[in-house]
Amino acid sequence: MNKGIRSSVFMMAGITFLCLLSSFAYAFQSVKKTAETKGGPKIVNIVNFIRLLEPRDPKITEDVLYQTVVKQVQIMKQYNLPGTFLLQYDALMDPRYQQLLAALPKGSFEVGAWWEIPQPLVEKAGLKWRGRYPWDWHANIGFSTGYTPEEREKLIDVYMADFKKIFGYYPRSVASWFIDAHSLNYMYEKYHIVASANCKDQYGTDGYTLWGGYWNQAYYPSKINSYMPAQNAQQQIPVPIFRMLGSDPIRQYDQGIGSNRQGVITLEPVYEFGGGSTSWVSWFFKTFTEDAALGFNYTQAGQENSFTWDGMSKGFEIQMPLIAQLRKAGKLRVETLEQSGLWFKKSYKVTPPTSFAVTKDLEGSNLKTLWFNSRFYRINMLWEKEGLRIRDIHLFNEELPDVYTTQVATTNECTFFTLPVVDGYLWSKADQIAGLRFKALIDGKELLLTGKDPVFTNRGTGAVHISWPLTTVSGSLEMDLDERTLTIKLLSKRPCNWYLDLNTAPDAKLPFQQIAPAQITCSFDGLNYKLPAVKGAFSKPGNGAVLRLQPQMNVISLNLADTKAH
């Protein structure tokens, strides 16, 4: 080959190679950018917990409950879906459940403990049964909160010994609607459990209130408060608690405003509007898999056998093939609770910042929302009627004990709370919805700021940026949420007198002790705390609002981590 031609060929080959490298690099960056924008893995646990009997309905016999679990196993095997079955003690001791669950493939199915306390467990531990039935769902009888710390340890030891005798190992996952911190820590230190789960946030449902906690996802609890995320590794129980039931991120929060208890809109397959609805389930999993999520996104499918197969079959038959289809498409992963617990512990030394976003609601609705959590606080923003309401802000403090860590529940109800700053549920009435709203003074008139659709973007693995184009004024509100702070900036070429006002129902029980320009001081459940403004100033506006937060040089910045009152 002619030397000149050879040189030209080599040159063209080199250019082609460089172009290919550039294309690969661009593609890699695009994939990386997409992954960063959409967030980490989308994790589904299918958790079914098992009771031996159901005293609330004579038609629900032990055989009906057993056949329900048989059907759950069948449909999960049909779609090759792994899952977790959690046994209440009386079901653990029943040979039928032992044989059914021992035969499940170990790599796909997990058998663990459901921590409700029935009569056989109490009596085998040498304690006196106080219940109305062999299983009683009241918080002071059917849950660990009804027993002294020493009694709890006896109950745990009996359960663990019998579980190991039957299955040859100790359970790795132990879950319940709620478990006290003493029991969790004892299970971790003596039996090395790796995962737990508790109820979704709810107010008054079945007599159980868990309100203001780490919304959805998972967290490491404080050693003295199983509901409160710890801020430091030294003060946490190193067992991640996953939130159960798959709450509707838009509607669940407001259910039952003005009443003593919430309704339920969740992924549970028994609910006609929720997990038993094809349109709702399709919407839920679309937003779950396609909207940006910081860190990871999580939901728990499945159902306790008390609802029976007749009650849950429609929802299961909607959900299981869809979950399998989305897994095959690489849009989510399905794991046992133990597997998710091990992944969480490997990934996070302390509770991480996470988010759950909805950019498109059900057909006929234009609502949008973002939930953001960290080990210091949670916040929820709801876009409604082209406006924005900060619906909820709760702060976390590992030094706030829950009474049940050392004391015994004395009533049939149970309550867990964190520290409120904004509570759009408890501070509302049906015709007076509480929240922080964005307003501006324009031509002497106070107007709500309105805008177009917000855009959510993850900033690395620790922060979320929100860009909200405005229509009331020219410009946009740019908001940043990270582990410790909330920052809001108005970008506009024209000056604008904007601010946030907190409105509540007149008789709302508020925690505010003093509203000073630099900070709010609060008291709740015997603990004093504060919310400092890094930029901006608090005031009492005198227009019916409880407080106002005004910007400094068009910026509001709140430190949501430095909350301890001195």
Side-chain angles (χ1 to χ4, degrees):
M1 184 182 289
N2 181 286
K3 184 178 179 182
I5 295 174
R6 188 164 60 242
S7 297
S8 298
V9 170
F10 287 157
M11 185 180 295
M12 291 299 295
I15 292 170
T16 302
F17 179 70
L18 288 172
C19 288
L20 284 170
L21 277 179
S22 177
S23 297
F24 286 141
Y26 177 79
F28 176 76
Q29 289 299 323
S30 296
V31 170
K32 184 179 178 184
K33 184 176 180 182
T34 300
E36 288 175 352
T37 301
K38 292 296 183 182
K42 322 291 187 179
I43 300 171
V44 176
N45 291 157
I46 303 172
V47 178
N48 303 299
F49 56 90
I50 302 170
R51 300 187 180 110
L52 177 69
L53 48 86
E54 178 47 79
R56 292 170 290 190
D57 187 344
K59 295 179 183 177
I60 303 176
T61 64
E62 290 184 18
D63 188 61
V64 167
L65 294 173
Y66 174 73
Q67 292 301 329
T68 297
V69 180
V70 170
K71 293 290 189 181
Q72 289 173 330
V73 169
Q74 287 176 351
I75 195 167
M76 291 168 71
K77 281 185 171 181
Q78 178 184 346
Y79 292 102
N80 194 28
L81 291 170
T84 297
F85 286 89
L86 303 177
L87 286 160
Q88 192 171 288
Y89 181 79
D90 49 8
L92 169 70
M93 303 308 291
D94 188 290
R96 292 181 300 175
Y97 289 113
Q98 294 172 11
Q99 293 167 13
L100 176 67
L101 299 181
L104 297 176
K106 295 288 189 295
S108 299
F109 289 93
E110 172 193 13
V111 182
W114 180 251
W115 203 240
E116 291 177 344
I117 315 297
Q119 184 174 356
L121 177 57
V122 170
E123 293 179 344
K124 190 165 184 179
L127 307 175
K128 183 180 179 181
W129 178 246
R130 297 173 280 111
R132 301 164 296 168
Y133 315 101
W135 167 65
D136 191 325
W137 54 93
H138 283 174
N140 59 329
I141 296 169
F143 293 86
S144 59
T145 50
Y147 302 84
T148 67
E150 294 75 19
E151 290 171 339
R152 296 169 201 172
E153 292 179 9
K154 290 180 182 179
L155 294 166
I156 292 166
D157 289 340
V158 168
Y159 186 102
M160 293 294 185
D162 282 339
F163 189 100
K164 187 174 184 181
K165 192 182 299 181
I166 293 162
F167 291 105
Y169 57 90
Y170 293 125
R172 305 282 276 167
S173 299
V174 182
S176 182
W177 296 133
F178 45 91
I179 305 176
D180 67 280
H182 182 89
S183 295
L184 272 177
N185 203 42
Y186 185 75
M187 291 174 185
Y188 166 72
E189 290 184 344
K190 187 169 182 178
Y191 298 102
H192 312 297
I193 67 169
V194 299
S196 187
N198 66 11
C199 187
K200 67 171 175 53
D201 259 38
Q202 63 178 36
Y203 193 84
T205 310
D206 297 326
Y208 316 141
T209 292
L210 298 89
W211 194 251
Y214 196 98
W215 192 87
N216 204 55
Q217 321 302 61
Y219 66 97
Y220 290 118
S222 160
K223 288 181 179 178
I224 59 172
N225 190 330
S226 58
Y227 185 60
M228 184 77 72
Q231 286 75 64
N232 300 284
Q234 307 93 293
Q235 301 300 320
Q236 71 188 16
I237 301 171
V239 175
I241 296 180
F242 293 84
R243 305 304 305 273
M244 299 177 69
L245 306 182
S247 287
D248 184 316
I250 288 178
R251 278 160 287 272
Q252 174 62 50
Y253 185 90
D254 288 332
Q255 281 298 297
I257 279 180
S259 65
N260 293 325
R261 63 190 59 208
Q262 283 189 306
V264 180
I265 306 178
T266 68
L267 192 57
E268 294 171 271
V270 295
Y271 291 111
E272 289 185 14
F273 184 70
S277 160
T278 300
S279 58
W280 188 94
V281 170
S282 299
W283 164 78
F284 180 85
F285 277 106
K286 183 176 177 64
T287 193
F288 176 77
T289 57
E290 296 182 9
D291 280 327
L294 185 68
F296 70 102
N297 218 356
Y298 175 82
T299 198
Q300 180 243 301
Q303 190 83 69
E304 69 261 42
N305 61 340
S306 294
F307 279 105
T308 77
W309 186 245
D310 284 346
M312 70 182 73
S313 59
K314 179 185 175 184
F316 258 85
E317 287 159 2
I318 292 168
Q319 292 181 29
M320 296 303 114
L322 178 58
I323 292 171
Q325 177 188 337
L326 291 168
R327 180 187 59 179
K328 184 177 181 181
K331 292 187 175 183
L332 55 75
R333 67 193 203 198
V334 188
E335 300 176 341
T336 64
L337 188 54
E338 176 193 2
Q339 290 168 341
S340 296
L342 291 170
W343 169 82
F344 189 94
K345 293 184 72 170
K346 183 179 178 181
S347 302
Y348 305 113
K349 301 304 179 189
V350 293
T351 298
T354 61
S355 70
F356 195 125
V358 177
T359 59
K360 185 172 176 54
D361 196 10
L362 287 162
E363 195 69 33
S365 169
N366 196 36
L367 297 173
K368 295 168 177 58
T369 197
L370 177 81
W371 285 94
F372 181 91
N373 306 284
S374 81
R375 56 192 162 128
F376 297 103
Y377 71 100
R378 81 174 192 186
I379 187 170
N380 176 242
M381 299 183 179
L382 181 70
W383 281 262
E384 51 189 355
K385 299 177 182 177
E386 299 182 337
L388 168 58
R389 174 167 58 106
I390 296 180
R391 185 162 57 166
D392 186 279
I393 301 176
H394 277 78
L395 307 176
F396 304 144
N397 187 326
E398 65 194 7
E399 296 178 1
L400 177 66
D402 77 72
V403 65
Y404 310 112
T405 299
T406 57
Q407 298 180 42
V408 175
T410 56
T411 71
N412 60 359
E413 298 195 351
C414 193
T415 58
F416 291 89
F417 291 100
T418 62
L419 303 175
V421 172
V422 177
D423 194 320
Y425 179 78
L426 292 181
W427 299 352
S428 293
K429 286 188 173 179
D431 58 345
Q432 294 170 306
I433 304 301
L436 269 173
R437 291 177 172 85
F438 290 74
K439 299 179 180 179
L441 201 60
I442 299 174
D443 297 330
K445 292 182 179 180
E446 184 178 76
L447 299 175
L448 285 172
L449 290 180
T450 58
K452 300 177 183 177
D453 291 344
V455 177
F456 308 128
T457 309
N458 291 345
R459 294 281 174 88
T461 58
V464 173
H465 179 76
I466 306 164
S467 183
W468 184 35
L470 297 174
T471 52
T472 312
V473 298
S474 176
S476 65
L477 278 172
E478 304 294 322
M479 293 170 272
D480 288 285
L481 295 161
D482 64 29
E483 187 177 52
R484 295 172 178 267
T485 59
L486 162 64
T487 303
I488 305 170
K489 301 177 184 178
L490 175 65
L491 297 184
S492 178
K493 293 180 180 179
R494 296 182 179 180
C496 178
N497 182 9
W498 65 282
Y499 45 88
L500 288 97
D501 273 359
L502 175 62
N503 292 89
T504 70
D507 58 349
K509 294 180 181 179
L510 306 178
F512 309 124
Q513 301 294 299
Q514 183 181 18
I515 298 171
Q519 70 177 31
I520 308 168
T521 54
C522 309
S523 182
F524 180 82
D525 209 13
L527 185 80
N528 296 326
Y529 56 103
K530 66 181 181 181
L531 178 63
V534 180
K535 286 189 177 180
F538 296 105
S539 64
K540 295 181 180 179
N543 64 343
V546 173
L547 65 83
R548 175 168 292 177
L549 180 52
Q550 292 177 287
Q552 176 186 348
M553 301 294 291
N554 264 348
V555 177
I556 288 172
S557 182
L558 300 178
N559 185 339
L560 295 151
D562 180 22
T563 60
K564 295 178 182 178
H566 301 295

